[in-house]
Amino acid sequence: MESVLIKKLYRETDKFLGKEVKISGWIRTIRSSNKFGFIEVNDGSFFKNLQVVFDEKLENFKEITKYSISSTISVEGEVVKTEGAKQPFEIHAKKVTLEGKSHSDYPLQKKRHTFEYLRTIAHLRPRSNAFSAVFRVRSIAAYAVHKFFQEQGFVYVHTPIITGSDAEGAGEMFRVTTLDLENPPRDEKGNIDYKKDFFGRQTNLTVSGQLEAEIYALAFRNVYTFGPTFRAENSNTSRHASEFWMIEPEMAFAELDDYLEVAEAMVKYIINYVRENAPEEMEFFNKFVDKGLFERLDNVVNSDFGRITYTEAVELLKKSGEKFDYPVEWGIDLQTEHERYLTEKIFNKPVFVTDYPKDIKAFYMRLNDDGKTVAAADLLVPGVGEIIGGSQREERIDVLEKRMEELGLNKEDYWWYLELRKYGETKHSGYGLGFERMIMYLTGMSNIRDVIPFPRTPGNAEF
Amino acid sequence: MESVLIKKLYRETDKFLGKEVKISGWIRTIRSSNKFGFIEVNDGSFFKNLQVVFDEKLENFKEITKYSISSTISVEGEVVKTEGAKQPFEIHAKKVTLEGKSHSDYPLQKKRHTFEYLRTIAHLRPRSNAFSAVFRVRSIAAYAVHKFFQEQGFVYVHTPIITGSDAEGAGEMFRVTTLDLENPPRDEKGNIDYKKDFFGRQTNLTVSGQLEAEIYALAFRNVYTFGPTFRAENSNTSRHASEFWMIEPEMAFAELDDYLEVAEAMVKYIINYVRENAPEEMEFFNKFVDKGLFERLDNVVNSDFGRITYTEAVELLKKSGEKFDYPVEWGIDLQTEHERYLTEKIFNKPVFVTDYPKDIKAFYMRLNDDGKTVAAADLLVPGVGEIIGGSQREERIDVLEKRMEELGLNKEDYWWYLELRKYGETKHSGYGLGFERMIMYLTGMSNIRDVIPFPRTPGNAEF
């Protein structure tokens, strides 16, 4: 008898109607009377369950009625069309076999659980509806990212996780070490001797692969990274995690506008790909998690993203008459309240804010001719705020060195970064997308802990 | 005028012959006489260079002849067919513009460099022929992995990098900490107080995502990981790195044979995909790096992988009459010399060795009915030895607990791993592929440091 996945039964129902098939999966719900019963089976291949009907004609009928939720079973039976029922078809069982038993104290009983509780059972939560949807969408979105870039000839680069440099000084870093911390080796001055550490120096977990991605862009033209990055910041918010995945494309021969075009196309591509390939999951989010989701995503896909300079944005915010917690003046870093006002109230669609004051941006961003602003841009989206940040990079070695001196950066630490300029001075641009932010945006889930399989936050590294 | 990538000119030459185009890229070589000159330009989009011919009719002819290697230029000119030359076409320049200059001490001059030297300039080596080929192949192979699994409905899982557990005790781990190492907090006994560390406990870098992948397989049926893993082992060999990428598929309702089938199909898929999508790069490897490469890869793709039990393999090795450095007896861990003899001399193709003694394998591998061996299998390939290791997992909670007791493992540390069995006891299997080993196998490159963009090895974390 043909073993078949439940996804296939749903996608090609007509082919199977009236046929006998074999399925295997886990019991999600079970109820029965004296004469017959219903089991909802999920086999992992599909968001939806399959309804199995069994009756007293089965020799093990009594036993079946006692199977616990989460038991592993296989079922042989006929695929039968159902009229007017919730599900379009069901299986009339000829044989139900217990493949593996479950205990009756299984925590995911039918009643609803809070996301907070489900975080404490991260080993079981992917079996719940919400997290089954989240993590399949996460997988499909990750593939969409690869597909988008690979189809355009971008080279995927694995930038290092353990690093001796601190990139852009973008954030607090985790130390990586094999020293015996109870009794570390000391130098003649009595300080810890990191020359004796595993790598012969102090090393940390990367906060960004950008600088290394620039190396590869200046060889392969168009490249992207997609890997884990880290922040050792003690911030307990719904939008920050200590370990998260980033996508960092970097493009040679590209100016700021080129980055904006690629980023806009990428966001739209990911949304379209996920809607096409996870329609049931997306329906679930739109119905149960964020009722405005489809409207918001449609708006993104169908609109041309807005563009506004930082200077214009500051003017608009000042003229808006809105009371902000943080007053707006040229030179401030825009806060989430400002970003959301811009994208939700003024534009009502995604908007790129460009040309920020150099003093609130990183040293490697390309100085504009005005001497005050840099060719940077952030993408703000309704409901979330910033999801992408990027810039044209300073390729002019004299301008870059001057900027590093102003900021007191040690040029020797960046010897190879400067050599990239010394040998070519090629224009290039790039950006970073926080993958979890994108998943939150795609699903309407409001806490970053609920879109990463095993979240790492201050005080939390279970599983 | 149409700006075009060199890859497109090569792939669709006929479309461009006689037309004027604009290209931009970097000077790889330049030579000239008083009247004309040749520039080999690479624009990053393609393995091969484009030949540009320029002559004294250009007003900046003299300047062009002085451009340094690695300068950034743009060229406008006509695409002209070349007869009998190395390259099928060239550009006759109407205009050559210097977009960014390079210094004359650029280290990658035309002469050949050793791979050892190129490792010291990891920021420039992707511009060399060999590394341009390696890292494009690496990107394409990574995509092939995703494509293979996604097309079959596998869910991609991001398992955690920072972990509080030590997985299978598979190797030495790197400590991750934010404690002030010069002056760490101490508990009342005077020991370092890890409760005050960032995560409130001791944490390390993961050595494997397998245990967490099992969580997801028992929800989504078929899943895979693809991410960085770490070993803090002080081994300076050509096959070991401290940071490397692993692919770990995990499949519910799968027995050992199912893993073997998926792994064989995956290896063949990756080889075929890379040969199709990087033909020039693969030609380069076959010609300059490993003259037997194509023969070896063809043999893999066209053969059914062999299968042999460990017990049978030991018999064959003993009967072979071969002198091994490590004598062969039932119960020993097979050494590389044994593995290579099996795959190269006995089978002359890839071979799965199955059913190893339980004492040389991990606690989670499923015990066979003989009580002595486990349902494990390693894939050995000619020229390399082991590239895949995996097993059916012990799903029977009583057998698993007994094995953990035998090995002195603390069951509380594995509470969630045991609960996966408590709630379902589902058969499942999985395996791990070291991505760098696969790239070495695909390219013939013989040192792992030359297939990772920025290798981390003992004493080495530059860039």
Side-chain angles (χ1 to χ4, degrees):
Chain A
M1 187 168 314
E2 188 178 6
S3 261
V4 63
L5 294 179
I6 290 176
K7 179 174 184 177
K8 196 165 179 181
L9 289 179
Y10 269 95
R11 289 278 183 263
E12 303 168 35
T13 309
D14 288 347
K15 220 174 98 181
F16 292 100
L17 286 177
K19 300 245 168 64
E20 294 215 347
V21 297
K22 180 177 178 179
I23 60 114
S24 54
W26 298 282
I27 296 178
R28 281 279 182 89
T29 68
I30 180 164
R31 63 200 159 88
S32 58
S33 69
N34 287 337
K35 299 196 179 297
F36 56 90
F38 301 94
I39 305 175
E40 299 245 12
V41 181
N42 190 289
D43 75 351
S45 72
F46 196 55
F47 180 65
K48 293 190 173 175
N49 301 325
L50 173 66
Q51 175 153 291
V52 172
V53 187
F54 63 99
D55 64 26
E56 59 182 346
K57 273 175 272 170
L58 300 183
E59 57 175 286
N60 58 345
F61 175 74
K62 280 278 169 224
E63 287 151 50
I64 299 172
T65 62
K66 291 175 201 138
Y67 290 169
S68 299
I69 294 181
S70 191
S71 294
T72 309
I73 58 169
S74 62
V75 177
E76 295 175 32
E78 188 185 339
V79 182
V80 177
K81 196 167 180 170
T82 51
E83 301 288 354
K86 208 176 65 180
Q87 67 288 345
F89 62 93
E90 60 192 19
I91 303 251
H92 290 186
K94 300 251 158 82
K95 190 174 173 191
V96 177
T97 309
L98 185 69
E99 304 284 349
K101 60 184 185 304
S102 177
H103 278 246
S104 55
D105 64 350
Y106 183 65
L108 286 175
Q109 303 294 332
K110 213 187 170 185
K111 73 181 169 81
R112 279 223 184 173
H113 298 284
T114 64
F115 289 158
E116 287 75 13
Y117 168 68
L118 291 170
R119 277 175 219 147
T120 67
I121 49 168
H123 62 311
L124 301 175
R125 70 174 180 169
R127 305 175 184 191
S128 70
N129 278 336
F131 289 101
S132 157
V134 166
F135 293 116
R136 200 187 307 271
V137 161
R138 186 178 166 112
S139 168
I140 290 168
Y143 187 54
V145 169
H146 283 295
K147 207 163 147 64
F148 174 80
F149 287 113
Q150 294 270 345
E151 285 174 356
Q152 294 180 73
F154 281 59
V155 168
Y156 178 33
V157 190
H158 288 139
T159 50
I161 311 300
I162 298 172
T163 169
S165 70
D166 80 343
E168 41 174 303
E172 292 297 309
M173 301 179 90
F174 288 101
R175 169 74 42 85
V176 175
T177 182
T178 56
L179 292 180
D180 174 5
L181 302 192
E182 290 288 358
N183 189 20
R186 307 256 171 198
D187 61 19
E188 59 270 23
K189 286 185 191 152
N191 296 322
I192 292 178
D193 186 1
Y194 287 104
K195 289 210 186 71
K196 302 228 169 78
D197 206 346
F198 190 90
F199 295 107
R201 55 157 74 194
Q202 293 193 31
T203 50
N204 301 301
L205 291 179
T206 185
V207 295
S208 161
Q210 178 203 316
L211 303 195
E212 288 92 353
E214 287 185 49
I215 289 174
Y216 273 69
L218 295 170
F220 290 104
R221 194 175 194 109
N222 293 323
V223 304
Y224 68 108
T225 74
F226 189 172
T229 50
F230 305 86
R231 295 280 189 290
E233 273 149 29
N234 194 8
S235 53
N236 259 302
T237 83
S238 62
R239 290 157 47 92
H240 292 89
S242 309
E243 174 179 317
F244 56 99
W245 286 63
M246 282 247 281
I247 295 138
E248 299 183 282
E250 195 70 33
M251 297 160 280
F253 302 95
E255 301 185 355
L256 188 68
D257 274 357
D258 299 303
Y259 137 40
L260 304 190
E261 268 174 44
V262 172
E264 178 168 343
M266 178 198 72
V267 168
K268 291 176 175 177
Y269 186 95
I270 296 172
I271 293 173
N272 285 330
Y273 189 82
V274 169
R275 297 239 359 220
E276 262 168 48
N277 288 279
E280 290 80 8
E281 286 83 355
M282 293 303 286
E283 286 283 356
F284 173 86
F285 292 122
N286 191 53
K287 207 160 159 187
F288 295 110
V289 174
D290 176 356
K291 287 195 195 301
L293 183 66
F294 281 180
E295 196 186 342
R296 184 156 55 78
L297 295 178
D298 285 341
N299 183 31
V300 173
V301 169
N302 297 322
S303 65
D304 292 324
F305 293 7
R307 297 191 188 184
I308 186 174
T309 66
Y310 169 90
T311 303
E312 291 162 349
V314 164
E315 282 309 305
L316 286 178
L317 290 168
K318 283 167 82 170
K319 280 193 295 194
S320 69
E322 185 80 7
K323 277 245 178 286
F324 294 113
D325 292 341
Y326 294 85
V328 179
E329 273 310 322
W330 198 95
I332 65 154
D333 215 348
L334 297 181
Q335 303 296 315
T336 302
E337 58 174 341
H338 309 133
E339 293 176 341
R340 293 190 59 167
Y341 188 87
L342 283 167
T343 183
E344 289 166 19
K345 296 285 156 53
I346 297 182
F347 281 87
N348 191 30
K349 65 179 182 180
V351 56
F352 287 109
V353 178
T354 67
D355 303 295
Y356 285 80
K358 68 175 179 179
D359 292 334
I360 59 170
K361 289 291 183 183
F363 76 94
Y364 51 71
M365 297 190 173
R366 192 176 196 277
L367 192 65
N368 286 327
D369 292 343
D370 62 16
K372 292 190 303 181
T373 62
V374 287
D378 289 350
L379 176 63
L380 315 179
V381 295
V384 174
E386 184 200 325
I387 61 167
I388 288 178
S391 77
Q392 188 165 344
R393 317 307 187 187
E394 186 57 77
E395 85 281 8
R396 296 162 299 187
I397 192 164
D398 51 338
V399 181
L400 182 61
E401 287 187 326
K402 187 155 163 273
R403 186 74 186 131
M404 291 175 75
E405 281 159 21
E406 278 172 22
L407 294 168
L409 293 172
N410 183 358
K411 280 189 265 182
E412 280 167 30
D413 292 344
Y414 294 87
W415 68 273
W416 54 263
Y417 194 70
L418 289 166
E419 282 202 356
L420 294 180
R421 278 68 186 170
K422 184 178 173 192
Y423 302 120
E425 282 204 332
T426 312
K427 280 189 183 172
H428 61 292
S429 298
Y431 63 93
L433 167 72
F435 186 56
E436 284 74 19
R437 294 263 174 99
M438 186 71 204
I439 302 301
M440 291 167 76
Y441 190 53
L442 273 169
T443 60
M445 298 292 286
S446 57
N447 196 311
I448 195 167
R449 291 166 183 78
D450 297 329
V451 299
I452 310 182
F454 305 97
R456 270 73 182 106
T457 52
N460 254 308
E462 186 67 273
F463 303 98
Chain B
M1 188 170 310
E2 187 177 6
S3 261
V4 64
L5 293 179
I6 290 174
K7 179 173 185 178
K8 195 165 180 181
L9 289 178
Y10 269 93
R11 289 279 183 262
E12 304 168 36
T13 309
D14 287 348
K15 220 175 98 181
F16 291 99
L17 286 177
K19 298 245 170 64
E20 293 215 346
V21 298
K22 181 177 178 180
I23 59 111
S24 54
W26 298 282
I27 297 178
R28 280 280 180 90
T29 70
I30 181 165
R31 62 202 160 88
S32 57
S33 68
N34 287 337
K35 298 196 178 299
F36 56 90
F38 300 94
I39 306 175
E40 298 246 13
V41 181
N42 191 288
D43 75 350
S45 72
F46 196 55
F47 181 65
K48 293 191 173 175
N49 301 325
L50 173 66
Q51 176 153 289
V52 172
V53 187
F54 63 100
D55 65 26
E56 58 182 346
K57 275 176 270 168
L58 300 183
E59 58 175 286
N60 58 345
F61 175 74
K62 278 278 169 224
E63 286 152 49
I64 299 172
T65 61
K66 291 175 200 140
Y67 290 168
S68 299
I69 293 181
S70 190
S71 294
T72 310
I73 58 169
S74 63
V75 177
E76 296 174 30
E78 187 185 337
V79 182
V80 177
K81 196 166 181 169
T82 52
E83 300 289 353
K86 205 176 66 178
Q87 67 287 345
F89 61 94
E90 60 193 18
I91 302 255
H92 290 183
K94 299 254 159 78
K95 191 176 173 189
V96 177
T97 309
L98 185 69
E99 304 284 349
K101 58 186 187 304
S102 177
H103 280 246
S104 55
D105 64 350
Y106 183 65
L108 287 176
Q109 304 293 332
K110 213 187 167 180
K111 72 180 169 76
R112 280 229 185 166
H113 299 284
T114 64
F115 289 158
E116 288 75 12
Y117 169 69
L118 290 170
R119 277 175 220 148
T120 67
I121 50 167
H123 63 311
L124 301 175
R125 70 175 180 170
R127 306 175 183 191
S128 69
N129 278 335
F131 289 100
S132 158
V134 166
F135 293 115
R136 200 186 307 273
V137 161
R138 185 179 168 111
S139 168
I140 289 168
Y143 187 54
V145 169
H146 284 295
K147 209 164 147 61
F148 174 79
F149 287 113
Q150 294 269 345
E151 285 175 355
Q152 294 181 72
F154 281 58
V155 168
Y156 177 33
V157 190
H158 288 138
T159 49
I161 310 300
I162 298 172
T163 169
S165 70
D166 79 343
E168 40 173 308
E172 292 296 309
M173 301 180 89
F174 289 101
R175 169 73 44 85
V176 174
T177 182
T178 55
L179 292 180
D180 174 4
L181 301 192
E182 290 288 357
N183 190 20
R186 306 250 170 205
D187 61 20
E188 58 270 26
K189 286 185 191 152
N191 296 322
I192 292 178
D193 186 1
Y194 287 103
K195 290 211 185 71
K196 300 227 169 76
D197 206 346
F198 191 90
F199 296 107
R201 55 157 74 193
Q202 292 192 32
T203 50
N204 301 300
L205 291 179
T206 185
V207 295
S208 161
Q210 177 203 314
L211 303 195
E212 288 92 353
E214 286 185 49
I215 289 175
Y216 273 69
L218 295 170
F220 290 104
R221 194 175 196 108
N222 293 323
V223 305
Y224 69 108
T225 74
F226 189 172
T229 50
F230 305 85
R231 294 281 189 288
E233 273 149 29
N234 194 8
S235 54
N236 260 300
T237 83
S238 62
R239 290 158 45 92
H240 293 88
S242 310
E243 174 180 318
F244 56 100
W245 286 63
M246 281 247 282
I247 296 138
E248 298 183 282
E250 194 72 31
M251 297 159 281
F253 302 94
E255 302 186 355
L256 189 69
D257 274 357
D258 300 302
Y259 136 42
L260 305 190
E261 268 174 43
V262 172
E264 179 168 343
M266 178 198 71
V267 168
K268 291 177 175 177
Y269 186 96
I270 297 172
I271 293 173
N272 285 330
Y273 190 82
V274 169
R275 301 258 330 240
E276 262 169 46
N277 288 279
E280 290 80 8
E281 285 83 354
M282 294 303 285
E283 285 283 355
F284 173 87
F285 292 122
N286 190 53
K287 206 160 160 185
F288 296 110
V289 174
D290 176 355
K291 286 193 196 304
L293 182 66
F294 281 179
E295 197 186 341
R296 183 157 53 80
L297 296 179
D298 285 341
N299 183 32
V300 173
V301 169
N302 297 322
S303 64
D304 292 323
F305 292 9
R307 297 192 188 184
I308 186 173
T309 67
Y310 169 91
T311 303
E312 292 162 348
V314 164
E315 283 310 304
L316 286 178
L317 289 168
K318 283 168 82 171
K319 281 193 294 195
S320 71
E322 186 81 6
K323 276 246 178 285
F324 294 113
D325 293 341
Y326 294 85
V328 179
E329 274 310 323
W330 198 96
I332 65 155
D333 214 350
L334 297 181
Q335 302 297 315
T336 302
E337 58 174 342
H338 309 134
E339 294 177 340
R340 294 189 60 166
Y341 188 86
L342 284 167
T343 182
E344 290 166 19
K345 297 281 157 56
I346 298 183
F347 281 89
N348 191 31
K349 65 180 182 181
V351 56
F352 287 108
V353 178
T354 67
D355 303 296
Y356 286 80
K358 68 174 179 179
D359 292 334
I360 59 169
K361 288 291 182 184
F363 76 93
Y364 51 72
M365 298 189 174
R366 193 177 195 277
L367 192 65
N368 286 328
D369 292 344
D370 62 15
K372 291 191 305 182
T373 61
V374 288
D378 289 350
L379 177 63
L380 316 178
V381 295
V384 173
E386 184 201 326
I387 62 166
I388 288 178
S391 76
Q392 187 166 343
R393 317 307 187 187
E394 185 58 77
E395 86 281 8
R396 298 162 296 186
I397 192 164
D398 51 337
V399 182
L400 182 61
E401 287 187 329
K402 185 155 166 271
R403 186 74 186 129
M404 291 175 74
E405 281 159 21
E406 279 171 22
L407 294 167
L409 292 173
N410 183 357
K411 280 190 264 180
E412 279 168 30
D413 292 345
Y414 295 86
W415 68 273
W416 55 263
Y417 194 70
L418 290 166
E419 282 203 356
L420 294 181
R421 278 69 185 169
K422 184 178 173 192
Y423 301 121
E425 283 203 332
T426 312
K427 281 190 182 172
H428 61 293
S429 300
Y431 63 93
L433 167 72
F435 186 56
E436 284 74 20
R437 293 262 174 98
M438 186 70 206
I439 302 300
M440 290 167 75
Y441 190 53
L442 272 170
T443 59
M445 297 293 286
S446 57
N447 195 308
I448 196 167
R449 290 165 184 79
D450 296 329
V451 298
I452 309 182
F454 306 96
R456 269 74 181 106
T457 52
N460 254 310
E462 185 67 272
F463 300 101

